[in-house]
Amino acid sequence: MSDRTTTPTSDRSTAAPNGLTWSADEMRRLGHAVIDQIVARAEGLRSGAPWRGASRSELEPLLRESCPEEPLDADAVLERAAREILPRAGRIDHPRFFAFVPSCPTWASMLGDMLATGYNIFQGTWLESAGPSQIELVVLDWFREWLDMPEGAGGLFTSGGSAANLIAVVAAREASGHPERATVYMSEQSHSSVERACRIAGFRPQQLRRIACDDAYRLDLEALDKAVRRDRSDGFTPVLVAANAGATNTGVVDPLPELAAWARAQEIWLHIDAAYGGFAALSRRGRTALKGIGEADSVTLDPHKWLFQPYETGCLMVRDPATLESAFRVFPEYLQDTDLGFEHVNFADRGLQLTRSFRALKVWMALQMLGRRAHAEAIGGAIELGDRAEAWVRAHPDFEVLSPASLGIVCFRWNPERCAPRDEPELEAMNRRIQESVVDDGVAMMSSTRLQGRYSLRLCLMNHSTSWPDVQATLDALAERGERFGRALD
Ligand SMILES: *Cc1c(COP(=O)(O)O)cnc(C)c1O
């Protein structure tokens, strides 16, 4: 293919003006204003609250309006977005945002995102995006090495972990020959997106199996083996087991090496949902915890979680990329020019999107500009914060650990030793109240979960800008409220 970047046929001055373009000066001026706005937000982030919500009834009168027929003043629109809309949201990258799964994209990665948008890359076929497709291959190969997957393994970037899980479910089903009575196995702790993926892929509820976990919330291999044997003798064909590394609730990693050996012997596709924990493999501690991950048939990763990338950046890695292409490739006449031979990967053939943005660029830019080591150290540091938080909880007589720190997540609750045993509804109400107070007072954003039916506070520590004083201040605030509200109960 030759390089056809020369021979301009028209210049900018002859382009017909229309209502959708701005002069280069105006583009620059407004572009700089947006950058200034974003940087100012980042500078003020730590001093503000990590969360701000609003009810529908507050927002309707403020924001409901008909679509303007004629243009409004661009600066005024920008100012309004910054004042009325954008601040009324969680600040997921705030150093004391510990709810759900935090995300703190680096500026280098955001610049990559802006560049990809600005260059309007169509990352569906090699013909339309040669350089970008090569970079997607390169970055995926870095991931392959980090996970210890065999040479030749590859995959694609996706909108997120949910899309990656869906692609894996379909690929596994197609690879198995799409049997009539297929079954899928997941643990009680599996992410909701795995079940949703199965639903989208056409599995009925009676084809899904939720496998019990042990006391440490790890998938119970014996229970899995039993379920598979029973299903086989009942005429079902098991096609996929989805394991966690780590689970969103607890950060717990399933017994991966044992599962891999078992799945290979059973000839069942092993999918590891590592959307939460996969990039922990960059750190020494995480690498140990994730041992065996590279033996999976497919692995879901979420660079917009622990690789500090902007939304939407997910990824699916598979042992054999041909399994994706045979599951997803459909070749219509109007794309006949795009077949340049298999080494020129058309990423549209590996998943569900034809039009795809150039997600690999932001990852590539962040790793080029900041280096792998800084990413690894930030992840290792977050894992250590989890350990320190667990130690704090263990040392405090008013709190108990419900699930020990694993990959930055610790689950615990207020349940003071000094009192008579309280019943579960009272404990739940108190823990809810303590949590709400800490959130409402702007100390930290936290969310809760439920473990073996018990209400649990949950800290998720993965933000590279969180430091121990942030965690300690949050724990101290929880203890202070426990003390204060508890006194009223005694
Ligand atoms: C976040 C998460 C998902 C879903 O990923 P999205 O990027 O939100 O679509 C799936 N599985 C696990 C374990 C997760 O933590």
Side-chain angles (χ1 to χ4, degrees), residues 101 159-163 165 191 193 244 246-248 273 275-276 302 304-305:
V101 180
S159 59
S162 302
N165 282 338
H191 192 269
S193 60
N244 290 309
T248 316
D273 182 357
Y276 175 76
D302 240 350
H304 63 209
K305 288 179 178 167

